[in-house]
Amino acid sequence: MRVNFTVNGRPQQADDVWEGESLLYVLRERLGLPGSKNACEQGECGSCTVRLDGLPVCACLVAAGQAEGREVVTVEGLAEHARRRAAGAGTPPEPAGTSLDEARRWTAAPDGTRAAALSPVQQAFVDAGAVQCGFCTPGLLVAADELIERNPEPSDADIREALSGNLCRCTGYETILDAVRLAAARAGEAGPR
Amino acid sequence: MEFLRPGSWEEALAAKAEHPEAVPLAGGTDVMVEINFDRRRPDHLLDLNRIGDLYEWETGEDEVRLGASVPYARIMEELRAELPGLALAAHTVGSPQIRNRGSVGGNLGAASPAGDSHPPLLAAGAQVEAESVRGTRLIPAEEFYTGVKRNALAPDELIRAVRIARADGPQQFSKVGTRNAMVIAVCAFSLALHPRSRTVRTGIGSAAPTPVRARAAEDFLAAALEEGGCWESGRPVPPSAARRFAELAAGACNPIDDVRGSARYRRHAVAVMARRTLGWTWDAYRSGGRDSRCA
Ligand SMILES: Cc1cc2nc3c(=O)[nH]c(=O)nc-3n(C[C@H](O)[C@H](O)[C@H](O)COP(=O)(O)OP(=O)(O)OC[C@H]3O[C@@H](n4cnc5c(N)ncnc54)[C@H](O)[C@@H]3O)c2cc1C
Ligand code: FES
Ligand code: FES
């Protein structure tokens, strides 16, 4: 079957999708967006976390057909998503979103072009040393960014709760908590969004 | 495999009548795991995500009619006052990602004895609104669970909503697991005080082939509270009565030994949870919390 949906602000189409296929598979294997990771395929690890119509979900548990007509934000579109949010969500600048090509070629480059810029949460993860092997990072970034969007001054309990669906085998979580606190504090300094 | 995508409830019922073996797909947090692991290959998936009615609820004088697909996240945020037991249980399901998708309709469809919504539904008093092209029927929660992962739905039926009595007193939910998030219950217990009818109701999860009520415990406690004049005076529940209530709750279990816990542990834990939830709810009732809010 064919699935039409919006990914990182741009309409996309996936063809020859098997009916039992997950959104995660479509993102990674059909659209070429491997940022969302595939580890457990049973909702336990959160490394596949994306936003579906704004809500963080495990892409491995969403049937591709259920994404029809919906909006998905992946880690590849996170920087642009955060930029637009900071600019005021009301009137999106044109052209909106991250193109598939940009997203596929995405690499971190601190002083690079707009497309390669990091979102505040991503920068905080780098600065706090919250990334080791990096496998869990995309899911954590999507979850943490959504938390700060919803709750600009999260308590430690709020952070723990928001990230409770994301597993990390490397860091022991402390640096991840530091990163989220840092991102929230910087957003606060930058003034209310 | 075919992906059926009804745009309305009527279309969904028609599709289920035409393909009774079709597997309904709500949040997918049970179904997709089975498909990902090749444990299930249905000929038809029946996607319910497009049916807006299933994501809404109506709050009436005596009950909440909760659409089958309303995700746990909304229940815990928006229905705390009306459905405190269920809201507490919802908060313990999986993780935020799971709670954004998983639903009570899906929990009932899966009918796992460990499902977290079952104990509070039993304790509050709930009826499953099952519908097919043949019509609608209301199935009391206690009759809905028919065996391990089996329920009373006919092949052509879908769950439209769950009708849950609005809390008329404090309610609690307690769950034993190895950590706070992402944990299947070793066992679970829910208690609801119903001051209006001067009754108490319970629900036990994961300690028998199906979720069950501890009826003997309920009857005993109601009689003890009545006899002691406790409902009027708000006097503490006598410790001996609380102990007996806990014993009777454990007696309602018919648990198994498995990787998550032994039968003996489960019986013990249910007794502890029964005593604690009684303490919490009764304290809330006494401290003027004679409204619907929980401790
Ligand atoms: C990582 C993880 C953690 C979990 N943790 C918990 C937990 O802590 N507690 C807990 O109770 N559960 C837990 N679960 C299981 C699951 O999330 C719940 O059972 C949830 O309520 C299922 O809801 P759903 O909408 O996702 O159902 P789905 O997966 O869409 O469906 C589940 C079943 O119900 C049927 N169904 C769905 N809607 C209807 C309907 N309207 N009419 C008839 N049949 C229907 C489906 O065909 C299927 O058989 C967890 C799952 C995962 C993956
Ligand atoms: S891959 Fe989806 S939660 Fe682990
Ligand atoms: S950094 Fe390796 S899993 Fe988290």
Side-chain angles (χ1 to χ4, degrees):
Chain A
M1 65 177 172
R2 167 174 290 184
V3 181
N4 290 288
F5 62 132
T6 304
V7 183
N8 297 326
R10 300 262 182 111
Q12 304 295 348
Q13 186 177 84
D15 283 311
D16 303 318
V17 173
W18 174 59
E19 285 67 21
E21 204 162 293
S22 70
L23 171 61
L24 179 61
Y25 190 92
V26 169
L27 290 170
R28 291 177 56 85
E29 309 297 335
R30 303 205 185 275
L31 299 184
L33 301 178
S36 314
K37 297 298 175 227
N38 178 5
C40 70
E41 288 197 290
Q42 51 180 317
E44 297 272 352
C45 74
S47 57
C48 65
T49 302
V50 301
R51 307 256 310 251
L52 179 65
D53 282 354
L55 297 175
V57 302
C58 297
C60 69
L61 298 183
V62 177
Q66 294 184 302
E68 175 74 31
R70 313 250 182 227
E71 288 193 24
V72 173
V73 174
T74 71
V75 71
E76 288 95 339
L78 201 62
E80 175 66 11
H81 179 77
R83 202 182 64 80
R84 285 163 47 106
R85 181 173 60 215
T91 45
E94 291 299 326
T98 311
S99 78
L100 205 51
D101 224 39
E102 268 177 301
R104 284 181 187 143
R105 285 188 280 106
W106 197 95
T107 49
D111 305 315
T113 61
R114 197 192 87 200
L118 297 176
S119 70
V121 166
Q122 287 169 315
Q123 189 62 53
F125 267 61
V126 172
D127 295 342
V131 183
Q132 287 190 28
C133 82
F135 200 85
C136 67
T137 311
L140 277 161
L141 289 170
V142 173
D145 181 70
E146 191 267 348
L147 167 68
I148 294 171
E149 176 178 310
R150 179 165 44 83
N151 177 0
E153 292 176 34
S155 67
D156 277 8
D158 295 334
I159 300 174
R160 282 172 190 274
E161 166 122 2
L163 304 187
S164 61
N166 295 75
L167 295 181
C168 173
R169 298 300 296 266
C170 304
T171 63
Y173 301 102
E174 286 303 328
T175 49
I176 293 171
L177 298 179
D178 289 343
V180 180
R181 287 185 206 112
L182 182 62
R186 283 178 180 164
E189 276 163 28
R193 275 176 315 233
Chain B
M1 198 184 285
E2 224 183 300
F3 197 82
L4 306 172
R5 215 179 272 176
S8 69
W9 181 239
E10 287 67 33
E11 278 175 45
L13 292 178
K16 191 65 171 141
E18 194 182 337
H19 308 284
E21 83 303 338
V23 173
L25 182 61
T29 59
D30 280 312
V31 173
M32 287 304 288
V33 174
E34 296 186 320
I35 291 178
N36 289 346
F37 283 80
D38 232 337
R39 283 187 221 128
R40 206 163 183 182
R41 276 283 175 277
D43 285 335
H44 297 89
L45 279 176
L46 181 61
D47 178 25
L48 302 176
N49 275 196
R50 249 141 258 282
I51 303 168
D53 298 346
L54 298 183
Y55 291 84
E56 285 166 15
W57 64 84
E58 298 146 43
T59 304
E61 194 132 310
D62 297 320
E63 65 176 23
V64 175
R65 182 170 180 244
L66 180 73
S69 296
V70 174
Y72 292 115
R74 302 205 58 194
I75 296 172
M76 61 186 245
E77 281 158 21
E78 297 175 59
L79 286 166
R80 264 200 116 82
E82 295 85 354
L83 307 174
L86 186 64
L88 286 168
H91 204 157
T92 75
V93 172
S95 64
Q97 289 91 327
I98 300 298
R99 296 195 288 271
N100 279 335
R101 298 282 298 163
S103 62
V104 173
N107 216 221
L108 287 165
S112 158
D116 285 321
S117 47
H118 312 316
L121 292 183
L122 289 169
Q127 294 181 299
V128 179
E129 188 181 324
E131 194 170 340
S132 71
V133 291
R134 296 173 292 117
T136 303
R137 61 182 179 132
L138 293 178
I139 310 169
E142 32 285 79
E143 288 164 30
F144 186 78
Y145 317 107
T146 54
V148 178
K149 302 196 179 179
R150 291 216 321 271
N151 63 39
L153 289 179
D156 63 344
E157 281 180 323
L158 292 171
I159 301 168
R160 167 63 183 83
V162 192
R163 297 175 177 234
I164 311 161
R166 273 181 79 160
D168 61 325
Q171 301 185 350
Q172 271 294 345
F173 173 79
S174 182
K175 169 175 171 181
V176 174
T178 44
R179 61 188 196 119
N180 259 339
M182 206 68 98
V183 115
I184 307 182
V186 176
C187 50
F189 191 85
S190 189
L191 179 63
L193 303 184
H194 298 288
R196 225 182 289 159
S197 53
R198 297 196 168 179
T199 55
V200 297
R201 285 174 60 124
T202 58
I204 303 176
S206 221
T210 64
V212 290
R213 277 171 67 187
R215 291 183 191 256
E218 295 173 2
D219 292 345
F220 165 80
L221 184 59
L225 293 174
E226 195 64 64
E227 236 166 73
C230 300
W231 291 109
E232 300 87 6
S233 64
R235 200 176 296 140
V237 181
S240 61
R243 236 180 355 256
R244 184 69 191 136
F245 171 68
E247 271 166 29
L248 289 168
C253 303
N254 180 17
I256 53 166
D257 292 317
D258 68 11
V259 287
R260 281 180 279 137
S262 66
R264 207 167 141 243
Y265 175 73
R266 286 190 160 99
R267 270 201 201 89
H268 172 72
V270 164
V272 172
M273 289 189 291
R275 207 177 57 236
R276 285 187 189 158
T277 52
L278 174 57
W280 295 332
T281 48
W282 193 257
D283 280 351
Y285 175 72
R286 276 154 49 87
S287 60
R290 290 173 207 194
D291 62 4
S292 54
R293 234 135 331 130
C294 56

